């Protein structure tokens, strides 16, 4: 045998063996090493990415589902919006959310964090979240979780309802607490890294369609974060809401020149994929902006507190819908 072939054959054999035995750590170590050669922030983002995927593709589904379980009928003022937005979560993940959960929110969730020795407290919080998620998944019957990321509310006998009312709320509340703790630890770290990632993207390719798409999603996230913080601190005003909404609208409008650009259509490029993604998130993005504008309009017209509370809920839910749309296509294309 040609000795020059021994090294590549050995590498292939080693990869097969590691794949068969489930040895993921060597792959994770190599992945992180390559990213560290690029920049520390790249490796850190890589370590956070499994947690982000778990939150975006599983945690959102469970929160939407439990919310509907607690409130089978939406508030009267937003019934139509509620029913329309259910489709925002009916992607392929919602059809097999338990399988996605096993793949994305398993005990390996913090493997890269631990290998990188990055954010050990976050790793502890994430592991606690995984335990809470496993518990709630084991407690709630699989038949009660449907493709629309919501609990099936069909006919249930009285005994079954009594059992559910006893067992589901405690584990669900524990899960919600673990979810809140994970989000409060994880999301600020993720948000803090985005500007650096945007800067590095600009250094490599300039302000192209990918740059503006990432900038828009960052602005969409910043919008809900600003409003959430202002609500908690009781500093939200109509002017702050208007200014924040205007920034989001400007970020959205910057897509227009890229959508008008023509391609030869001979083959699908990454630019074409980004353009398609801009178009794909059109409906949820419009709904998000409409929810923000409705909140501002009702506030200006001195609507009752319950109406404003419903409006704010619609804003939060429409952002989750936008994120669901974006993730289902972005993970397939990029």
């Amino acid at each position: 045998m040609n000795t020059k072939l021994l090294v590549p054959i050995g590498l292939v054999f080693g990869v097969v063996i590691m794949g068969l035995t489930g040895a993921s750590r060597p792959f994770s170590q190599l992945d992180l090493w390559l990213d560290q050669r690029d920049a520390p922030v790249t490796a850190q983002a890589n370590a956070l990415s499994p947690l982000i995927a778990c939150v975006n593709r599983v945690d959102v589904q469970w929160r939407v589902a439990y919310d509907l379980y607690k409130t089978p009928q939406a508030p009267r003022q937003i019934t139509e919006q509620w029913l329309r937005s259910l489709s925002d979560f009916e992607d392929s993940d919602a059809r097999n959310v338990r399988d996605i959960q096993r793949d994305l929110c398993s005990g390996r969730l913090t493997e890269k964090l631990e290998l990188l020795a990055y954010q050990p407290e976050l790793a502890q919080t994430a592991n606690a979240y995984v335990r809470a998620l496993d518990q709630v998944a084991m407690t709630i019957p699989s038949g009660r979780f449907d493709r629309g990321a919501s609990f099936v509310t069909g006919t249930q006998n009285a005994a079954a309802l009594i059992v559910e009312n006893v067992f589901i709320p405690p584990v669900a509340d524990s899960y919600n607490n673990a979810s809140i703790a994970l989000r409060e630890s994880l999301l600020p770290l993720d948000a803090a890294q985005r500007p650096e990632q945007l800067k590095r993207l600009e250094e490599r390719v300039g302000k192209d369609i990918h740059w503006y798409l990432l900038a828009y999603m960052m602005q969409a996230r910043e919008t809900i974060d600003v409003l959430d913080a202002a609500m908690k601190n009781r500093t939200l005003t109509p002017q702050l809401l208007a200014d924040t909404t205007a920034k989001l609208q400007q970020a959205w409008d910057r897509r227009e020149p890229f959508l008008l650009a023509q391609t030869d259509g001979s083959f699908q490029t990454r630019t074409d994929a980004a353009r398609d993604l801009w178009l794909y998130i059109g409906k949820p993005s419009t709904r998000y902006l409409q929810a923000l504008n409705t909140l501002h309009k009702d506030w200006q017209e001195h609507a009752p507190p319950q109406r404003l509370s419903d409006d704010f809920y619609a804003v939060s839910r429409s952002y989750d819908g936008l994120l669901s749309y974006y993730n289902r296509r972005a993970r397939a294309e990029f």
Side-chain angles (χ1 to χ4, degrees):
M1 177 181 290
N2 189 336
T3 56
K4 293 182 179 181
L5 296 177
L6 291 178
V7 172
I9 290 174
L11 286 173
V12 170
F13 182 74
V15 167
V16 171
I17 292 298
M18 285 190 290
L20 291 174
T21 59
S24 62
R25 290 180 71 88
F27 291 109
S28 297
Q29 288 173 322
L30 176 61
D31 196 23
L32 291 172
W33 177 77
L34 291 172
D35 280 343
Q36 281 183 308
R37 288 177 62 85
D38 178 69
V41 68
T42 304
Q44 292 168 4
N46 189 344
L48 293 178
S49 63
L51 282 72
I52 297 294
C54 174
V55 167
N56 287 345
R57 298 176 63 187
V58 174
D59 187 59
V60 168
Q61 305 285 4
W62 276 106
R63 289 189 300 111
V64 170
Y66 189 56
D67 194 40
L68 186 57
Y69 173 79
K70 291 187 297 183
T71 312
Q73 297 298 323
R76 179 176 57 82
Q77 294 91 338
I78 60 170
T79 298
E80 292 184 3
Q81 189 275 342
W82 170 280
L83 294 175
R84 284 198 310 271
S85 68
L86 282 177
S87 63
D88 290 347
F89 304 95
E90 291 183 355
D91 62 0
S92 59
D93 291 353
R95 296 173 188 268
N96 60 347
V97 68
R98 293 185 188 278
D99 292 338
I100 298 294
Q101 171 189 327
R102 283 189 289 269
D103 290 342
L104 295 180
C105 303
S106 69
R108 299 192 304 273
L109 189 65
T110 60
E111 181 178 83
K112 290 184 177 181
L113 285 177
E114 293 163 357
L115 287 172
L116 199 61
Y118 176 61
Q119 297 293 330
E121 292 183 0
L122 175 60
Q124 295 176 5
T125 302
N127 287 328
Y129 171 83
V130 170
R131 292 192 294 271
L133 179 59
D134 288 342
Q135 185 63 37
V136 77
M138 287 189 295
T139 302
I140 298 174
S142 58
R144 294 280 279 136
F145 196 82
D146 74 1
R147 65 182 291 274
S150 57
F151 286 95
V152 178
T153 57
T155 57
Q156 299 284 322
N157 62 55
L161 290 176
I162 291 173
V163 170
E164 286 192 357
N165 290 334
V166 170
F167 290 102
I168 290 180
V171 295
D173 289 341
S174 295
Y175 170 78
N176 284 341
N177 291 335
S179 171
I180 291 170
L182 177 60
R183 286 169 169 269
E184 289 181 345
S185 298
L186 171 63
L187 300 187
L189 287 170
D190 179 51
Q193 290 184 341
R194 295 301 181 184
E196 179 63 23
Q197 293 171 350
L198 197 64
K199 178 182 175 182
R200 295 185 66 80
L201 182 61
E202 182 178 358
E203 290 172 350
R204 291 173 177 172
V205 299
K207 291 186 178 181
D208 70 346
I209 186 172
H210 303 90
W211 189 94
Y212 282 108
L213 180 57
L214 178 58
Y216 167 71
M217 290 305 298
M218 287 172 58
Q219 188 62 53
R221 166 67 177 282
E222 182 180 323
T223 299
I224 195 66
D225 285 348
V226 167
L227 299 187
D228 276 339
M231 280 287 288
K232 292 176 182 177
N233 297 328
R234 299 182 181 275
T235 57
L236 183 60
T237 64
Q239 188 60 53
L240 176 60
L241 174 59
D243 292 343
T244 305
T245 303
K247 290 181 181 179
L248 181 62
Q249 183 69 63
Q250 291 168 3
W252 176 248
D253 291 342
R254 292 189 182 104
R255 75 181 187 141
E256 292 302 325
F258 299 105
L259 299 186
L260 296 174
Q262 298 295 319
T263 61
D264 59 17
S266 58
F267 58 92
Q268 182 82 356
T269 67
R270 284 180 59 84
T271 297
D272 294 329
R275 185 182 295 108
D276 290 346
L277 181 52
W278 269 115
L279 293 170
Y280 185 70
I281 64 174
K283 184 176 74 170
S285 294
T286 299
R287 186 175 296 156
Y288 186 29
L289 283 164
Q290 288 174 341
L292 290 162
N293 288 321
T294 297
L295 174 59
H296 184 262
K297 175 178 177 291
D298 287 346
W299 200 342
Q300 292 285 67
E301 295 177 355
H302 306 287
Q306 184 59 52
R307 178 62 176 268
L308 297 178
S309 176
D310 293 343
D311 287 348
F312 190 83
Y313 175 80
V315 169
S316 299
R317 185 172 174 83
S318 60
Y319 171 73
D320 277 347
L322 167 61
L323 195 61
S324 177
Y325 262 76
Y326 178 83
N327 285 329
R328 75 182 73 166
R329 181 62 63 87
R331 65 176 175 261
E333 300 288 351
F334 301 101

